[in-house]
């Protein structure tokens, strides 16, 4: 049996197992299985060694291990620059970050070209880092709005990316074509919250990409739509980061549509 999985703490609510196991089933890969592996932070290094000793093929890495894992594997340049690992091949101990490609692939699938475009990123945490890195490499003009502006400045500095730290008012007036929500505001079970400051009029005709996928339609997506724009949730990013990991471990082209359908059914 070839075993892969996701390591995190907690890991109970991860949707990756059903998504990957559905993909294995659809392709008749009965000798592959994807597990949830709960690993407390203080035993990460030892646990990775145990997984390798037990011939686990590879793992996805989620909260709180994405940064700490960086120092325990051979991280590629992308993961090093983002400062986080989300996929490890335990056969070689090589690791990468498929969140960046997952996001950029999903923008492409939605026919969104960010080259030269003005893009506002809401948030400056871990999710924002991967997304700002991808946007920056693609040549977007980036503005970050964050509750803690210093954290946004530090994000630009540490990525050696250029851009502006803005308020919601400045972002609304900037003329952005895309707003990406990388905060947790509006995520289940707080679906009534909005990542946009509702005292500031929302710009018209803007596309919102919300990295949240539960609920499937967030308050922010709805706000874009009532203002003549368009809303996209984060399910595509989740599927595509997983698809890239699947390809890396198995060498097999993943069944993207099966993965989408499985997640839609689960949510
Ligand atoms: P992740 O790794 O998922 O990005 P994180 O590093 O905790 O998680 O980052 C969460 C982001 O959501 C941050 O930008 C955070 O703002 P701060 O940097 O000011 O903490 C933002 N965020 C979380 N709760 C928020 C709230 N109630 N209002 C505004 N921003 C919030």
């Amino acid at each position: 049996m070839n075993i892969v999985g996701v390591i995190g703490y907690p890991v109970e609510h991860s949707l990756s197992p059903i998504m990957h196991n559905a993909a294995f089933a659809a392709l008749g890969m009965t000798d592959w299985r994807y597990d949830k592996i709960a690993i407390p932070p203080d035993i990460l290094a030892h646990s990775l060694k145990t997984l390798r000793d037990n011939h686990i093929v590879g793992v996805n890495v989620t909260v709180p291990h994405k940064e700490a894992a960086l120092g325990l594997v051979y991280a590629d340049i992308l993961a090093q620059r983002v400062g986080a690992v989300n996929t490890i091949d335990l056969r070689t101990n090589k690791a990468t970050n498929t969140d960046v490609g997952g996001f950029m692939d999903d923008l492409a699938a939605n026919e969104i070209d960010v080259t030269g475009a003005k893009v506002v990123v809401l948030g400056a945490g871990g999710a924002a880092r991967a997304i700002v890195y991808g946007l920056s490499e693609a040549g977007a003009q980036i503005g970050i709005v964050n509750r803690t502006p210093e954290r946004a400045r530090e994000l630009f500095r540490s990525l050696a990316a250029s851009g502006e730290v803005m308020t919601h008012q400045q972002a609304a007036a900037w003329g952005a074509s895309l707003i990406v929500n990388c905060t947790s505001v509006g995520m289940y079970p707080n679906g009534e919250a909005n990542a946009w400051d509702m005292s500031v009029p929302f710009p018209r005709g803007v596309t919102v990409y919300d990295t949240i996928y539960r609920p499937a339609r967030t308050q922010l997506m709805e706000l874009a739509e009532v203002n003549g724009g368009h809303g996209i949730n984060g399910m595509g990013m989740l599927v595509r980061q997983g698809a890239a990991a699947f390809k890396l471990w198995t060498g097999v082209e993943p069944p993207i549509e099966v993965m989408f359908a499985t997640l839609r059914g689960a949510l």
Side-chain angles (χ1 to χ4, degrees):
M1 183 60 78
N2 298 296
I3 299 171
V4 290
V6 54
I7 61 168
Y9 204 73
V11 79
E12 204 39 54
H13 296 291
S14 173
L15 292 169
S16 293
I18 59 157
M19 176 171 80
H20 284 270
N21 285 323
F24 291 142
L27 297 177
M29 295 168 71
T30 52
D31 54 339
W32 284 83
R33 192 180 83 208
Y34 190 110
D35 287 343
K36 285 176 190 167
I37 308 165
I39 295 179
D42 52 337
I43 59 162
L44 177 61
H46 177 74
S47 301
L48 280 175
K49 183 182 178 308
T50 305
L51 294 174
R52 266 195 303 277
D53 291 346
N54 284 286
H55 308 289
I56 305 301
V57 173
V59 285
N60 282 133
V61 183
T62 187
V63 177
H65 301 314
K66 286 187 176 192
E67 291 81 17
L70 200 62
L72 303 170
V73 295
Y74 300 115
D76 67 3
I77 300 284
L78 170 68
Q80 286 179 34
R81 289 212 43 206
V82 175
V85 148
N86 87 323
T87 304
I88 304 174
D89 185 331
L90 289 165
R91 296 166 297 197
T92 57
N93 219 22
K94 287 185 185 166
T96 188
N97 186 312
T98 67
D99 289 331
V100 177
F103 172 66
M104 297 309 292
D105 286 353
D106 202 44
L107 284 186
N110 283 283
E111 294 177 359
I112 298 171
D113 181 7
V114 293
T115 309
K118 288 182 175 173
V119 181
V120 168
V121 173
L122 306 178
R129 272 189 80 83
I131 279 167
V132 168
Y133 179 83
L135 291 170
S136 176
E137 289 293 295
Q141 301 179 61
I142 304 166
I144 302 182
V145 177
N146 197 45
R147 177 175 61 183
T148 316
E150 179 48 33
R151 214 175 161 200
R153 278 188 279 276
E154 176 52 29
L155 195 156
F156 278 132
R157 249 199 309 276
S158 62
L159 287 178
S162 53
E164 294 172 46
V165 179
M166 332 181 143
T167 62
H168 280 88
Q169 284 88 342
Q170 289 167 325
W174 194 41
S177 55
L178 177 66
I179 296 178
V180 186
N181 178 36
C182 301
T183 75
S184 47
V185 183
M187 190 185 293
Y188 174 87
N190 301 114
E192 293 312 307
N194 198 319
W196 187 259
D197 175 352
M198 293 303 282
S199 69
V200 178
F202 195 79
R204 289 203 61 80
V206 173
T207 297
V208 157
Y209 190 104
D210 203 323
T211 59
I212 293 171
Y213 48 81
R214 187 163 30 190
R217 189 155 180 263
T218 63
Q219 292 294 321
L220 180 63
M221 289 165 63
E222 191 165 325
L223 187 60
E225 281 164 8
V226 300
N227 282 285
H230 176 52
I232 302 166
N233 71 24
M235 193 181 287
M237 179 176 174
L238 176 64
V239 167
R240 295 177 204 284
Q241 64 75 32
F246 184 102
K247 179 79 196 275
L248 201 140
W249 297 321
T250 65
V252 175
E253 211 54 58
I256 298 263
E257 286 313 319
V258 170
M259 295 166 85
F260 264 109
T262 305
L263 282 185
R264 279 193 207 102
L267 285 168

